[in-house]
mmCIF file of all heavy atoms in Angstrom:
data_model
loop_
_atom_site.group_PDB
_atom_site.id
_atom_site.type_symbol
_atom_site.label_atom_id
_atom_site.label_comp_id
_atom_site.label_asym_id
_atom_site.label_seq_id
_atom_site.Cartn_x
_atom_site.Cartn_y
_atom_site.Cartn_z
ATOM 1 N N THR B 17 136.982 6.925 -67.632
ATOM 2 C CA THR B 17 137.152 7.190 -69.049
ATOM 3 C C THR B 17 137.108 8.694 -69.278
ATOM 4 O O THR B 17 136.100 9.329 -69.006
ATOM 5 C CB THR B 17 136.024 6.495 -69.850
ATOM 6 O OG1 THR B 17 135.998 5.118 -69.473
ATOM 7 C CG2 THR B 17 136.254 6.610 -71.338
ATOM 8 N N LEU B 18 138.222 9.223 -69.763
ATOM 9 C CA LEU B 18 138.299 10.665 -70.017
ATOM 10 C C LEU B 18 138.176 10.926 -71.512
ATOM 11 O O LEU B 18 138.877 10.322 -72.317
ATOM 12 C CB LEU B 18 139.632 11.222 -69.510
ATOM 13 C CG LEU B 18 139.991 10.922 -68.054
ATOM 14 C CD1 LEU B 18 141.357 11.509 -67.711
ATOM 15 C CD2 LEU B 18 138.934 11.486 -67.109
ATOM 16 N N SER B 19 137.248 11.802 -71.855
ATOM 17 C CA SER B 19 137.090 12.211 -73.241
ATOM 18 C C SER B 19 137.712 13.598 -73.372
ATOM 19 O O SER B 19 137.255 14.555 -72.752
ATOM 20 C CB SER B 19 135.600 12.242 -73.583
ATOM 21 O OG SER B 19 135.420 12.599 -74.925
ATOM 22 N N VAL B 20 138.798 13.684 -74.138
ATOM 23 C CA VAL B 20 139.580 14.918 -74.203
ATOM 24 C C VAL B 20 139.532 15.471 -75.629
ATOM 25 O O VAL B 20 140.048 14.865 -76.571
ATOM 26 C CB VAL B 20 141.050 14.661 -73.793
ATOM 27 C CG1 VAL B 20 141.819 15.984 -73.723
ATOM 28 C CG2 VAL B 20 141.123 13.915 -72.462
ATOM 29 N N LEU B 21 138.871 16.617 -75.755
ATOM 30 C CA LEU B 21 138.775 17.260 -77.063
ATOM 31 C C LEU B 21 139.961 18.205 -77.207
ATOM 32 O O LEU B 21 140.210 19.036 -76.329
ATOM 33 C CB LEU B 21 137.456 18.037 -77.135
ATOM 34 C CG LEU B 21 137.023 18.529 -78.506
ATOM 35 C CD1 LEU B 21 136.688 17.358 -79.424
ATOM 36 C CD2 LEU B 21 135.802 19.434 -78.380
ATOM 37 N N VAL B 22 140.716 18.040 -78.279
ATOM 38 C CA VAL B 22 141.930 18.869 -78.454
ATOM 39 C C VAL B 22 141.935 19.518 -79.829
ATOM 40 O O VAL B 22 141.289 19.039 -80.764
ATOM 41 C CB VAL B 22 143.228 18.031 -78.292
ATOM 42 C CG1 VAL B 22 143.304 17.390 -76.915
ATOM 43 C CG2 VAL B 22 143.366 16.976 -79.386
ATOM 44 N N GLU B 23 142.682 20.609 -79.935
ATOM 45 C CA GLU B 23 142.890 21.205 -81.250
ATOM 46 C C GLU B 23 143.858 20.344 -82.034
ATOM 47 O O GLU B 23 144.787 19.773 -81.470
ATOM 48 C CB GLU B 23 143.465 22.616 -81.093
ATOM 49 C CG GLU B 23 142.424 23.630 -80.684
ATOM 50 C CD GLU B 23 143.055 24.997 -80.506
ATOM 51 O OE1 GLU B 23 143.296 25.666 -81.515
ATOM 52 O OE2 GLU B 23 143.305 25.375 -79.352
ATOM 53 N N ASN B 24 143.626 20.288 -83.319
ATOM 54 C CA ASN B 24 144.435 19.441 -84.185
ATOM 55 C C ASN B 24 145.776 20.113 -84.502
ATOM 56 O O ASN B 24 146.052 20.431 -85.657
ATOM 57 C CB ASN B 24 143.629 19.187 -85.466
ATOM 58 C CG ASN B 24 143.812 17.786 -85.945
ATOM 59 O OD1 ASN B 24 144.727 17.110 -85.491
ATOM 60 N ND2 ASN B 24 142.972 17.361 -86.855
ATOM 61 N N LYS B 25 146.603 20.304 -83.500
ATOM 62 C CA LYS B 25 147.874 21.019 -83.660
ATOM 63 C C LYS B 25 149.035 20.104 -83.310
ATOM 64 O O LYS B 25 148.910 19.253 -82.419
ATOM 65 C CB LYS B 25 147.888 22.229 -82.715
ATOM 66 C CG LYS B 25 146.851 23.295 -83.047
ATOM 67 C CD LYS B 25 147.431 24.341 -83.990
ATOM 68 C CE LYS B 25 146.394 25.340 -84.457
ATOM 69 N NZ LYS B 25 145.948 26.233 -83.381
ATOM 70 N N PRO B 26 150.190 20.316 -83.980
ATOM 71 C CA PRO B 26 151.358 19.489 -83.652
ATOM 72 C C PRO B 26 151.730 19.645 -82.180
ATOM 73 O O PRO B 26 151.620 20.736 -81.634
ATOM 74 C CB PRO B 26 152.467 20.060 -84.546
ATOM 75 C CG PRO B 26 151.769 20.788 -85.635
ATOM 76 C CD PRO B 26 150.487 21.294 -85.035
ATOM 77 N N GLY B 27 152.123 18.575 -81.558
ATOM 78 C CA GLY B 27 152.638 18.637 -80.195
ATOM 79 C C GLY B 27 151.620 18.377 -79.108
ATOM 80 O O GLY B 27 151.975 18.162 -77.959
ATOM 81 N N VAL B 28 150.335 18.336 -79.466
ATOM 82 C CA VAL B 28 149.337 18.196 -78.398
ATOM 83 C C VAL B 28 149.387 16.800 -77.761
ATOM 84 O O VAL B 28 149.302 16.653 -76.532
ATOM 85 C CB VAL B 28 147.913 18.602 -78.877
ATOM 86 C CG1 VAL B 28 147.438 17.773 -80.033
ATOM 87 C CG2 VAL B 28 146.908 18.551 -77.736
ATOM 88 N N LEU B 29 149.579 15.772 -78.587
ATOM 89 C CA LEU B 29 149.688 14.405 -78.042
ATOM 90 C C LEU B 29 150.910 14.308 -77.131
ATOM 91 O O LEU B 29 150.859 13.716 -76.048
ATOM 92 C CB LEU B 29 149.802 13.388 -79.180
ATOM 93 C CG LEU B 29 150.063 11.946 -78.725
ATOM 94 C CD1 LEU B 29 148.889 11.408 -77.919
ATOM 95 C CD2 LEU B 29 150.339 11.048 -79.926
ATOM 96 N N SER B 30 151.993 14.920 -77.584
ATOM 97 C CA SER B 30 153.228 14.906 -76.822
ATOM 98 C C SER B 30 153.046 15.587 -75.463
ATOM 99 O O SER B 30 153.518 15.099 -74.439
ATOM 100 C CB SER B 30 154.278 15.619 -77.672
ATOM 101 O OG SER B 30 155.494 15.621 -77.035
ATOM 102 N N ARG B 31 152.330 16.707 -75.453
ATOM 103 C CA ARG B 31 152.091 17.409 -74.190
ATOM 104 C C ARG B 31 151.234 16.578 -73.240
ATOM 105 O O ARG B 31 151.492 16.518 -72.043
ATOM 106 C CB ARG B 31 151.415 18.764 -74.452
ATOM 107 C CG ARG B 31 152.409 19.875 -74.775
ATOM 108 C CD ARG B 31 151.727 21.236 -74.758
ATOM 109 N NE ARG B 31 150.839 21.425 -75.899
ATOM 110 C CZ ARG B 31 151.242 21.767 -77.126
ATOM 111 N NH1 ARG B 31 152.509 21.972 -77.359
ATOM 112 N NH2 ARG B 31 150.378 21.905 -78.098
ATOM 113 N N VAL B 32 150.187 15.951 -73.803
ATOM 114 C CA VAL B 32 149.305 15.130 -72.965
ATOM 115 C C VAL B 32 150.086 13.941 -72.391
ATOM 116 O O VAL B 32 150.060 13.682 -71.180
ATOM 117 C CB VAL B 32 148.076 14.653 -73.778
ATOM 118 C CG1 VAL B 32 147.300 13.577 -73.027
ATOM 119 C CG2 VAL B 32 147.164 15.833 -74.103
ATOM 120 N N ALA B 33 150.812 13.239 -73.256
ATOM 121 C CA ALA B 33 151.575 12.065 -72.803
ATOM 122 C C ALA B 33 152.633 12.487 -71.784
ATOM 123 O O ALA B 33 152.837 11.816 -70.768
ATOM 124 C CB ALA B 33 152.224 11.377 -73.995
ATOM 125 N N GLY B 34 153.280 13.639 -72.033
ATOM 126 C CA GLY B 34 154.316 14.139 -71.131
ATOM 127 C C GLY B 34 153.776 14.457 -69.745
ATOM 128 O O GLY B 34 154.423 14.174 -68.737
ATOM 129 N N MET B 35 152.572 15.013 -69.717
ATOM 130 C CA MET B 35 151.964 15.337 -68.420
ATOM 131 C C MET B 35 151.763 14.060 -67.597
ATOM 132 O O MET B 35 152.067 14.012 -66.398
ATOM 133 C CB MET B 35 150.624 16.059 -68.641
ATOM 134 C CG MET B 35 149.985 16.631 -67.385
ATOM 135 S SD MET B 35 149.098 15.416 -66.379
ATOM 136 C CE MET B 35 147.581 15.249 -67.319
ATOM 137 N N PHE B 36 151.269 13.018 -68.255
ATOM 138 C CA PHE B 36 151.046 11.745 -67.549
ATOM 139 C C PHE B 36 152.374 11.186 -67.022
ATOM 140 O O PHE B 36 152.460 10.735 -65.887
ATOM 141 C CB PHE B 36 150.362 10.721 -68.466
ATOM 142 C CG PHE B 36 148.866 10.864 -68.491
ATOM 143 C CD1 PHE B 36 148.242 11.749 -69.362
ATOM 144 C CD2 PHE B 36 148.065 10.125 -67.628
ATOM 145 C CE1 PHE B 36 146.859 11.899 -69.380
ATOM 146 C CE2 PHE B 36 146.683 10.267 -67.633
ATOM 147 C CZ PHE B 36 146.076 11.154 -68.509
#
Side-chain angles (χ1 to χ4, degrees):
Chain B
T17 307
L18 307 179
S19 182
V20 186
L21 193 66
V22 300
E23 283 178 79
N24 218 345
K25 295 269 174 70
V28 59
L29 174 64
S30 182
R31 275 191 288 280
V32 168
M35 189 280 282
F36 275 86

